[in-house]
Amino acid sequence: MLTVLAVVAGIGAWVASSSRPVSTDGPALPAIPASEIRAVAYLEPDPALRADHLRVRALAQGAPARIIATFPYTFTGLHARGAASPAGDRIAVLAVDGTRGSAATLSLVELDGTVRVADGGFDYLSSLAWARDGSKFAVTATAEPGAVRVIEVDPSTLRLSELARFTGAFQVVPLGYSLDGGRLYIVVVDQSGSSLWMARGGVTERVAELSPGRTRDWALSPDGSRVAFVDILSASSRTYIGKTLTIATGAVTALPSGRNQVGAAWQPGNPLPVFGGPGGSLQLEDPNPSAAWVIPHAYAPLGDYVVISTVGAGTDPSSRPEAALWIASPESRELLTDVPAASFVGWVRGE
């Protein structure tokens, strides 16, 4: 069973600092009916075929999973990665199939199994950041050694346009769009630390500092006003600290915990993010709770289910351990897959 433990210390101050709204460039994008997005998409390797199957499974207990697309892989360990549109109607997938050397092919997959391929090669480890209405998403591509382009993709036409370019960065991570879809937020990790940038209308602007050091596990809140992330501290009794940034004020707040936190997700309607790991607010309620801890991926739009990974207690969070994927709620937990290197893709429309 899964339970979200209450975090009480500092909530009043956190909510007060986070309540200031973020200005927008226009009206918010139309909401997607949450009740329609009731299925889980995930990628599952098939070593015998040397391919990754993109599967979709409804929430109902014991529901079968159907394969909607398959992506052959050339290099062992480089499995396909993907992200579903918040509209729940299509999925962007990055896969290294060898046709573009070490660069990844970007595919758009419809729920009926239709696959379209975008021109060009993209960064295999790029995040895929969708606008709230599914009208566009961002991905990165290496321009030349030391330079990374942030590309916006129109999923209907597969038209590509460059939004920003960064040089000398260790990581460039498209994070998500503002509520009105007018601004793309990007995390950049470089020699100066970790910063949040914004790209809008051909202008790239540094918005706030997340940390003077490295960070990981970034997640933009559903309203686009805050960023949850994990700060990596080398000289501390805790190495991984869950924090939030309020974009409007630049204020960074650490969530109370005495142990390491990893993974971040926002539950709809909850002003606080949830973190996993031994010190996270998301914990298993098992007879032997120390046997495993949780990494949260994403909540369903209704907020009643969350997809998680469970990994063995004591696992080094900096590694990429083999993990099982689960669909969980406060009342139940059902195994989605325990195939090594399987990955969560997103929530999609039910069948």
Side-chain angles (χ1 to χ4, degrees), residues 106-108 116-119 137 152-160:
L106 173 64
S107 301
L108 264 292
R116 294 173 295 134
V117 179
D119 292 333
F137 67 91
E152 187 170 82
V153 183
D154 181 329
S156 297
T157 64
L158 295 184
R159 179 178 176 271
L160 311 178

mmCIF file of all heavy atoms in Angstrom, residues 106-108 116-119 137 152-160:
data_model
loop_
_atom_site.group_PDB
_atom_site.id
_atom_site.type_symbol
_atom_site.label_atom_id
_atom_site.label_comp_id
_atom_site.label_asym_id
_atom_site.label_seq_id
_atom_site.Cartn_x
_atom_site.Cartn_y
_atom_site.Cartn_z
ATOM 1 N N LEU A 106 13.519 11.093 -33.577
ATOM 2 C CA LEU A 106 12.331 11.558 -32.867
ATOM 3 C C LEU A 106 11.087 11.108 -33.620
ATOM 4 O O LEU A 106 10.911 11.432 -34.801
ATOM 5 C CB LEU A 106 12.353 13.083 -32.751
ATOM 6 C CG LEU A 106 11.102 13.735 -32.168
ATOM 7 C CD1 LEU A 106 10.893 13.318 -30.716
ATOM 8 C CD2 LEU A 106 11.189 15.267 -32.273
ATOM 9 N N SER A 107 10.230 10.353 -32.935
ATOM 10 C CA SER A 107 8.994 9.860 -33.548
ATOM 11 C C SER A 107 7.792 10.386 -32.782
ATOM 12 O O SER A 107 7.841 10.562 -31.562
ATOM 13 C CB SER A 107 8.964 8.334 -33.555
ATOM 14 O OG SER A 107 10.054 7.795 -34.266
ATOM 15 N N LEU A 108 6.714 10.618 -33.499
ATOM 16 C CA LEU A 108 5.420 10.963 -32.896
ATOM 17 C C LEU A 108 4.486 9.783 -33.101
ATOM 18 O O LEU A 108 4.273 9.339 -34.230
ATOM 19 C CB LEU A 108 4.829 12.211 -33.541
ATOM 20 C CG LEU A 108 5.081 13.554 -32.845
ATOM 21 C CD1 LEU A 108 4.354 13.615 -31.514
ATOM 22 C CD2 LEU A 108 6.565 13.790 -32.657
ATOM 23 N N ARG A 116 5.006 8.764 -36.989
ATOM 24 C CA ARG A 116 5.613 9.714 -37.919
ATOM 25 C C ARG A 116 6.984 10.105 -37.383
ATOM 26 O O ARG A 116 7.159 10.250 -36.169
ATOM 27 C CB ARG A 116 4.733 10.954 -38.076
ATOM 28 C CG ARG A 116 3.394 10.666 -38.750
ATOM 29 C CD ARG A 116 2.482 11.894 -38.742
ATOM 30 N NE ARG A 116 2.102 12.262 -37.391
ATOM 31 C CZ ARG A 116 2.141 13.513 -36.920
ATOM 32 N NH1 ARG A 116 2.579 14.502 -37.669
ATOM 33 N NH2 ARG A 116 1.742 13.767 -35.692
ATOM 34 N N VAL A 117 7.944 10.294 -38.265
ATOM 35 C CA VAL A 117 9.324 10.567 -37.862
ATOM 36 C C VAL A 117 9.711 11.982 -38.274
ATOM 37 O O VAL A 117 9.489 12.382 -39.434
ATOM 38 C CB VAL A 117 10.293 9.544 -38.493
ATOM 39 C CG1 VAL A 117 11.733 9.847 -38.092
ATOM 40 C CG2 VAL A 117 9.905 8.127 -38.064
ATOM 41 N N ALA A 118 10.294 12.735 -37.330
ATOM 42 C CA ALA A 118 10.739 14.100 -37.609
ATOM 43 C C ALA A 118 12.090 14.087 -38.310
ATOM 44 O O ALA A 118 12.877 13.144 -38.163
ATOM 45 C CB ALA A 118 10.830 14.892 -36.307
ATOM 46 N N ASP A 119 12.377 15.128 -39.054
ATOM 47 C CA ASP A 119 13.670 15.261 -39.711
ATOM 48 C C ASP A 119 14.763 15.569 -38.681
ATOM 49 O O ASP A 119 14.507 16.220 -37.669
ATOM 50 C CB ASP A 119 13.639 16.389 -40.747
ATOM 51 C CG ASP A 119 12.747 16.062 -41.942
ATOM 52 O OD1 ASP A 119 12.574 14.865 -42.235
ATOM 53 O OD2 ASP A 119 12.231 17.020 -42.560
ATOM 54 N N PHE A 137 5.943 20.886 -28.326
ATOM 55 C CA PHE A 137 6.834 20.390 -27.286
ATOM 56 C C PHE A 137 8.262 20.759 -27.650
ATOM 57 O O PHE A 137 8.559 21.138 -28.799
ATOM 58 C CB PHE A 137 6.683 18.880 -27.068
ATOM 59 C CG PHE A 137 7.138 18.013 -28.209
ATOM 60 C CD1 PHE A 137 8.436 17.527 -28.282
ATOM 61 C CD2 PHE A 137 6.253 17.656 -29.218
ATOM 62 C CE1 PHE A 137 8.847 16.718 -29.324
ATOM 63 C CE2 PHE A 137 6.653 16.840 -30.269
ATOM 64 C CZ PHE A 137 7.954 16.371 -30.326
ATOM 65 N N GLU A 152 11.708 23.586 -30.788
ATOM 66 C CA GLU A 152 10.272 23.427 -30.572
ATOM 67 C C GLU A 152 9.681 22.681 -31.761
ATOM 68 O O GLU A 152 10.011 22.975 -32.917
ATOM 69 C CB GLU A 152 9.603 24.779 -30.411
ATOM 70 C CG GLU A 152 8.135 24.688 -30.005
ATOM 71 C CD GLU A 152 7.579 26.054 -29.632
ATOM 72 O OE1 GLU A 152 7.209 26.816 -30.566
ATOM 73 O OE2 GLU A 152 7.532 26.362 -28.431
ATOM 74 N N VAL A 153 8.818 21.713 -31.465
ATOM 75 C CA VAL A 153 8.232 20.851 -32.495
ATOM 76 C C VAL A 153 6.720 21.039 -32.507
ATOM 77 O O VAL A 153 6.067 21.013 -31.459
ATOM 78 C CB VAL A 153 8.573 19.368 -32.222
ATOM 79 C CG1 VAL A 153 8.030 18.480 -33.345
ATOM 80 C CG2 VAL A 153 10.069 19.166 -32.046
ATOM 81 N N ASP A 154 6.176 21.232 -33.702
ATOM 82 C CA ASP A 154 4.730 21.225 -33.897
ATOM 83 C C ASP A 154 4.335 19.767 -34.171
ATOM 84 O O ASP A 154 4.699 19.213 -35.220
ATOM 85 C CB ASP A 154 4.352 22.105 -35.081
ATOM 86 C CG ASP A 154 2.850 22.155 -35.329
ATOM 87 O OD1 ASP A 154 2.155 21.155 -35.050
ATOM 88 O OD2 ASP A 154 2.369 23.185 -35.823
ATOM 89 N N PRO A 155 3.613 19.113 -33.261
ATOM 90 C CA PRO A 155 3.344 17.682 -33.448
ATOM 91 C C PRO A 155 2.385 17.378 -34.597
ATOM 92 O O PRO A 155 2.340 16.237 -35.066
ATOM 93 C CB PRO A 155 2.736 17.258 -32.102
ATOM 94 C CG PRO A 155 2.175 18.512 -31.538
ATOM 95 C CD PRO A 155 3.064 19.624 -32.002
ATOM 96 N N SER A 156 1.657 18.364 -35.065
ATOM 97 C CA SER A 156 0.738 18.120 -36.184
ATOM 98 C C SER A 156 1.476 18.102 -37.514
ATOM 99 O O SER A 156 1.194 17.278 -38.389
ATOM 100 C CB SER A 156 -0.361 19.183 -36.208
ATOM 101 O OG SER A 156 -1.152 19.111 -35.038
ATOM 102 N N THR A 157 2.456 19.016 -37.673
ATOM 103 C CA THR A 157 3.177 19.135 -38.944
ATOM 104 C C THR A 157 4.616 18.637 -38.873
ATOM 105 O O THR A 157 5.267 18.496 -39.907
ATOM 106 C CB THR A 157 3.206 20.602 -39.387
ATOM 107 O OG1 THR A 157 3.954 21.372 -38.426
ATOM 108 C CG2 THR A 157 1.792 21.170 -39.479
ATOM 109 N N LEU A 158 5.126 18.402 -37.652
ATOM 110 C CA LEU A 158 6.525 18.060 -37.391
ATOM 111 C C LEU A 158 7.474 19.187 -37.828
ATOM 112 O O LEU A 158 8.650 18.956 -38.085
ATOM 113 C CB LEU A 158 6.917 16.734 -38.059
ATOM 114 C CG LEU A 158 6.195 15.493 -37.536
ATOM 115 C CD1 LEU A 158 6.746 14.244 -38.217
ATOM 116 C CD2 LEU A 158 6.335 15.366 -36.029
ATOM 117 N N ARG A 159 6.957 20.402 -37.876
ATOM 118 C CA ARG A 159 7.794 21.555 -38.170
ATOM 119 C C ARG A 159 8.684 21.858 -36.969
ATOM 120 O O ARG A 159 8.228 21.838 -35.827
ATOM 121 C CB ARG A 159 6.929 22.772 -38.502
ATOM 122 C CG ARG A 159 7.723 24.046 -38.807
ATOM 123 C CD ARG A 159 6.793 25.186 -39.162
ATOM 124 N NE ARG A 159 7.531 26.429 -39.374
ATOM 125 C CZ ARG A 159 7.806 27.286 -38.394
ATOM 126 N NH1 ARG A 159 7.411 27.038 -37.156
ATOM 127 N NH2 ARG A 159 8.477 28.397 -38.653
ATOM 128 N N LEU A 160 9.975 22.143 -37.247
ATOM 129 C CA LEU A 160 10.944 22.411 -36.190
ATOM 130 C C LEU A 160 11.349 23.882 -36.219
ATOM 131 O O LEU A 160 11.535 24.466 -37.290
ATOM 132 C CB LEU A 160 12.201 21.548 -36.382
ATOM 133 C CG LEU A 160 11.998 20.045 -36.617
ATOM 134 C CD1 LEU A 160 13.353 19.378 -36.843
ATOM 135 C CD2 LEU A 160 11.271 19.411 -35.444
#
